Amino acid sequence: MTKTPDGKSAEAPTMNDVARRAGVSAMTVSRALKEGSHVSKATRERIAQAINELGYVLDQSAGSLSSRRTGFVAAIIPSINNSNFSDTARGITDALEGTGLQLLLGYTDYSVEREEELIESMLRRRPEGIILTGGAHTDRARRMLQQAGIPVIETWDTPQDPIDKVVGFSNGAAMELLVETLAAKGYQRFGYIGGTTGRDTRGSQRRAGFVRALDRLSLPSDRIISFGVPPISMEQGGQAVVSMLDRWPDTQVALCVSDLSAFGALMECRRRGMRVPEDIAIAGFGDYEIAACCHPRMTTINVDCYGIGRQAALKLTRSIQGTSSDEVEQITLTGFRVVEREST
Amino acid sequence: MTKTPDGKSAEAPTMNDVARRAGVSAMTVSRALKEGSHVSKATRERIAQAINELGYVLDQSAGSLSSRRTGFVAAIIPSINNSNFSDTARGITDALEGTGLQLLLGYTDYSVEREEELIESMLRRRPEGIILTGGAHTDRARRMLQQAGIPVIETWDTPQDPIDKVVGFSNGAAMELLVETLAAKGYQRFGYIGGTTGRDTRGSQRRAGFVRALDRLSLPSDRIISFGVPPISMEQGGQAVVSMLDRWPDTQVALCVSDLSAFGALMECRRRGMRVPEDIAIAGFGDYEIAACCHPRMTTINVDCYGIGRQAALKLTRSIQGTSSDEVEQITLTGFRVVEREST
DNA sequence: CTTACCGATGATAGCGATAACATATCCGGC
DNA sequence: GCCGGATATGTTATCGCTATCATCGGTAAG
């Protein structure tokens, strides 16, 4: 509705209004608005002018009802305030560029219940595909997704029983690699800092990897501080490292569920006059910007967040367009690597 | 579409399918799916069962075409990987809870051109209102928004010439306050670190506030390092402070366009063995989590990011529901305050 | 007992676009 | 001059849902 000078609101112009003004049929307007249709230059210009004069904006919801293509895909991430996931979102956006598909972003605050609600309200809008974070979902969410008949990509994880397709890595294996790398440098007394169990499944898997690797190396794997509701904050990381040193003062290296808690731990240790890594070594997970920039610079695991998003979106568009002959592989594993810096 | 056992895809069930199965008319199903309509308990239950058996999901795009209510509002923020803006998004989400409105989030990467595209593609989906960040938009974007006939809220700023309504604060005044507070503590030689001009208008306004306040105090206001494309990173903040100390070694306090660049500067100074604040004081802007947690803890300006989102969403819903008699005030100013910590 | 009204349901007609088919025009080649 | 095929445009029929009005018992007020 545009406000008319008298203050009342007039109806928004429709395609028919544009058509009438340009002296053509609505169908021709529709064609002129779409790439690659045959509309003569003169007509196209007249239509463009009419659109301009009326301030017409295409109503896509009407269009998609008719064409049965909504032109968007949904992506659900745990948090938008987390550069790892927002990098994934950027990867998705970039890969969608030029496909005519738009991204509809939602965030769950790490709650599978919120995820379920979000999935439901997104499916109501009929996305052409959906990208999820992680492999843990409510039963109802799984059912809804299976019945939706659209491609589903689970990311950031390697679920046992994927709904459809997967782009991710094993969080457990990544943490195992970190433990092994540090053990090879001579560290023996490892501690782990993470949130209380539940909610953050990727965090739980990292913890499980920590335990597995140490057990394999016959090193103690019981120095685990569970603190705060996942995802734990920087502040909580600081508090957790204090508890850890309280309880096991001879801990040599503290591995944290993410760089953010590791950063909190690192700063707290510095604040207490401890030398890092001499008095205590610290490592994180995720290779956030902060890890490369803090002092001392932090050892961490780099995972290809942007690439996860990019590949997920590519897989999704291929699945959407793909005929049955053009099969898309089910699982794509993305890489990770240990980035050794000054903190270990 | 649900995949049938033979691999072919069947059409997704529609409301009519549900109605037939439940032995009622489609209209009754529609009513049963809406709160507060008169449908008998027995009928409601039969419908619920039919929905369950068929795995039916309401098609909202069809519904909104008919009801002329899409049930969502759009919000456009510069970056999702910035806790200030994601706090605003969270404020919006929370305030929208229970209103039946959903949030459609988009991000511009600080580009007004991207913003224009985004606004256009969002308007095509007919949001019931739109929340923008900042007051700088392309002419075409302004025109589209004015003609859309929906409430528009500009946030995080106090534009001279608002499109519709505003929830924000003066970035310039906030920076002036910070300068004054530090000058009162005795600091005289101030430096400023920000991105090269353009793009980040809030950053430019902070810089302008910096200059204004120092001029008023008759202190030198020319120690300005412009470095990198806004928003500047932590790393760039570190590089910038090095240039600053190179050029004006006797600088007493470095003010940064955001906590992130301030953090980079802080860490770089520590890395070079400087004492903060004794050798150089540092302050940021935004009161990010990192400011309270780093060592030394950082002085900064706290702005009520969450409140901005909350109030913007409240204003928006009031404008959407509001009759003309129920006028909504045009401008809401949100507060800010200096948070003094160890770094100054 | 009649009137009025409310609650429960159905029938019908769009919402604003596009798919699919139909029609008209123009072109060059024979 | 006629024909096939491309280009340009129009007509008609939905897409899946909800607004609106109509219908029909039942029930309370007069």
Side-chain angles (χ1 to χ4, degrees):
Chain A
M1 296 171 285
T2 309
K3 300 280 175 179
T4 51
D6 64 2
K8 283 198 213 145
S9 52
E11 286 301 305
T14 73
M15 194 172 266
N16 265 314
D17 299 328
V18 174
R20 206 168 313 121
R21 189 170 195 114
V24 294
S25 73
M27 196 61 232
T28 302
V29 177
S30 175
R31 288 196 184 99
L33 253 31
K34 216 166 68 174
E35 304 289 304
S37 330
H38 306 276
V39 176
S40 74
K41 191 135 186 280
T43 309
R44 204 177 277 271
E45 273 162 13
R46 250 179 316 134
I47 291 173
Q49 200 190 338
I51 286 177
N52 218 329
E53 287 166 6
L54 291 171
Y56 171 73
V57 176
L58 181 68
D59 186 332
Q60 202 161 156
S61 53
S64 42
L65 180 58
S66 177
S67 67
R68 304 159 112 353
R69 293 212 51 202
T70 52
F72 81 93
V73 299
I76 296 180
I77 58 180
S79 161
I80 52 172
N81 178 19
N82 177 304
S83 68
N84 275 353
F85 297 128
S86 60
D87 281 349
T88 298
R90 211 157 35 78
I92 297 172
T93 308
D94 288 357
L96 249 33
E97 184 87 37
T99 61
L101 287 167
Q102 236 194 301
L103 175 62
L104 174 56
L105 199 60
Y107 60 96
T108 65
D109 273 327
Y110 296 88
S111 148
V112 286
E113 286 77 27
R114 271 277 300 151
E115 189 196 53
E116 180 186 306
E117 290 173 27
L118 208 51
I119 288 172
E120 183 171 19
S121 61
M122 284 183 157
L123 288 181
R124 278 211 238 280
R125 301 190 187 276
R126 298 287 190 269
E128 299 187 29
I130 187 165
I131 297 174
L132 306 173
T133 308
H137 321 284
T138 65
D139 284 344
R140 201 166 84 86
R142 299 184 81 88
R143 230 176 309 124
M144 289 191 294
L145 289 166
Q146 275 155 355
Q147 295 194 331
I150 55 174
V152 176
I153 318 269
E154 290 168 282
T155 62
W156 269 92
D157 210 341
T158 52
Q160 287 300 305
D161 177 23
I163 298 176
D164 183 10
K165 306 203 173 56
V166 174
V167 176
F169 64 96
S170 164
N171 284 269
M175 187 55 90
E176 289 182 58
L177 177 65
L178 180 58
V179 171
E180 282 160 9
T181 306
L182 294 174
K185 287 184 75 171
Y187 289 107
Q188 300 203 327
R189 296 185 297 281
F190 287 77
Y192 182 87
I193 289 172
T196 50
T197 43
R199 277 171 56 100
D200 181 8
T201 52
R202 284 163 298 288
S204 308
Q205 285 159 18
R206 288 170 201 169
R207 175 195 321 224
F210 172 84
V211 172
R212 259 200 315 275
L214 289 174
D215 288 353
R216 199 164 48 231
L217 293 162
S218 306
L219 294 172
S221 63
D222 60 332
R223 300 180 175 204
I224 292 179
I225 298 286
S226 289
F227 188 88
V229 179
I232 68 173
S233 65
M234 294 178 178
E235 192 65 38
Q236 291 171 324
Q239 297 171 17
V241 79
V242 172
S243 318
M244 169 166 288
L245 292 171
D246 229 41
R247 186 140 167 223
W248 299 290
D250 65 341
T251 301
Q252 294 174 309
V253 56
L255 305 193
C256 302
V257 67
S258 91
D259 280 358
L260 306 180
S261 41
F263 173 76
L266 177 56
M267 289 294 122
E268 188 57 32
C269 290
R270 300 280 293 170
R271 205 181 323 275
R272 290 167 180 255
M274 300 179 76
R275 292 167 306 158
V276 176
E278 293 81 358
D279 298 332
I280 178 141
I282 292 175
F285 195 113
D287 200 13
Y288 290 66
E289 182 182 14
I290 204 175
C293 189
C294 62
H295 175 63
R297 304 187 197 276
M298 197 159 55
T299 294
T300 187
I301 295 267
N302 176 285
V303 300
D304 184 11
C305 316
Y306 180 85
I308 288 174
R310 212 184 136 64
Q311 295 200 51
L314 285 176
K315 199 185 276 275
L316 196 66
T317 49
R318 260 185 281 127
S319 305
I320 291 172
Q321 295 155 359
T323 59
S324 54
S325 61
D326 167 30
E327 276 303 332
V328 180
E329 63 180 359
Q330 204 202 4
I331 297 184
T332 302
L333 287 178
T334 59
F336 51 79
R337 64 176 204 281
V338 175
V339 182
E340 285 191 75
R341 297 207 181 95
E342 302 155 4
S343 72
T344 57
Chain B
M1 296 170 286
T2 309
K3 300 281 176 179
T4 50
D6 63 2
K8 283 198 214 144
S9 51
E11 286 301 307
T14 73
M15 194 173 267
N16 264 313
D17 299 327
V18 175
R20 206 168 312 123
R21 189 169 196 114
V24 294
S25 73
M27 196 60 233
T28 302
V29 176
S30 174
R31 289 197 183 97
L33 253 32
K34 213 165 70 175
E35 304 289 303
S37 326
H38 305 276
V39 176
S40 74
K41 190 132 186 280
T43 309
R44 205 178 276 274
E45 273 163 13
R46 252 180 313 135
I47 290 173
Q49 200 191 338
I51 286 177
N52 218 329
E53 288 167 6
L54 292 171
Y56 172 71
V57 176
L58 180 68
D59 186 332
Q60 201 161 161
S61 53
S64 41
L65 181 58
S66 178
S67 67
R68 302 157 116 354
R69 292 212 50 200
T70 52
F72 80 93
V73 300
I76 296 181
I77 58 179
S79 162
I80 51 172
N81 177 20
N82 177 304
S83 67
N84 275 352
F85 297 128
S86 59
D87 281 349
T88 298
R90 211 157 35 78
I92 296 172
T93 308
D94 288 356
L96 250 32
E97 185 86 38
T99 61
L101 287 167
Q102 236 194 300
L103 175 63
L104 174 55
L105 199 61
Y107 60 96
T108 66
D109 273 327
Y110 295 87
S111 147
V112 286
E113 287 76 27
R114 271 279 298 154
E115 189 197 50
E116 179 186 306
E117 290 172 27
L118 209 50
I119 287 173
E120 183 170 19
S121 61
M122 284 183 158
L123 288 181
R124 278 209 238 279
R125 300 189 188 276
R126 299 287 189 269
E128 298 187 28
I130 186 163
I131 297 174
L132 305 174
T133 308
H137 320 286
T138 65
D139 285 343
R140 200 165 87 84
R142 298 185 83 86
R143 230 177 309 126
M144 288 192 294
L145 290 166
Q146 275 155 355
Q147 295 194 332
I150 54 173
V152 177
I153 318 268
E154 290 168 281
T155 62
W156 269 92
D157 210 342
T158 52
Q160 287 301 305
D161 178 23
I163 298 177
D164 183 8
K165 307 205 172 56
V166 174
V167 176
F169 63 95
S170 164
N171 283 270
M175 187 54 92
E176 289 181 58
L177 177 65
L178 180 58
V179 171
E180 282 159 10
T181 306
L182 294 174
K185 288 185 73 171
Y187 289 108
Q188 300 203 326
R189 296 185 298 280
F190 287 76
Y192 181 87
I193 289 172
T196 50
T197 43
R199 277 171 57 103
D200 182 6
T201 52
R202 284 163 298 288
S204 308
Q205 285 159 18
R206 288 170 201 169
R207 176 195 321 225
F210 172 83
V211 172
R212 261 198 315 276
L214 289 175
D215 288 352
R216 199 162 51 230
L217 294 164
S218 305
L219 293 173
S221 64
D222 61 331
R223 300 180 174 203
I224 292 178
I225 298 287
S226 290
F227 188 88
V229 179
I232 67 173
S233 65
M234 293 178 178
E235 192 66 38
Q236 291 170 324
Q239 295 173 19
V241 78
V242 171
S243 317
M244 169 166 289
L245 292 171
D246 227 41
R247 187 143 165 219
W248 300 290
D250 64 343
T251 301
Q252 292 174 310
V253 54
L255 304 193
C256 303
V257 66
S258 92
D259 280 359
L260 306 180
S261 41
F263 173 76
L266 178 57
M267 288 295 121
E268 187 59 32
C269 291
R270 301 279 294 170
R271 206 181 322 275
R272 288 166 182 256
M274 301 178 76
R275 291 167 307 158
V276 177
E278 294 81 358
D279 298 332
I280 178 142
I282 292 175
F285 196 113
D287 200 12
Y288 291 65
E289 183 182 14
I290 203 175
C293 189
C294 62
H295 175 63
R297 303 188 198 274
M298 197 159 56
T299 294
T300 187
I301 295 267
N302 176 286
V303 299
D304 184 12
C305 316
Y306 181 84
I308 289 176
R310 214 184 136 65
Q311 296 202 50
L314 286 175
K315 200 186 275 275
L316 196 67
T317 49
R318 261 185 279 126
S319 306
I320 291 172
Q321 294 153 0
T323 60
S324 54
S325 62
D326 166 31
E327 275 303 332
V328 179
E329 62 179 358
Q330 202 201 3
I331 296 186
T332 302
L333 286 179
T334 59
F336 51 80
R337 64 176 204 279
V338 175
V339 181
E340 286 190 76
R341 297 207 182 93
E342 304 155 3
S343 72
T344 57

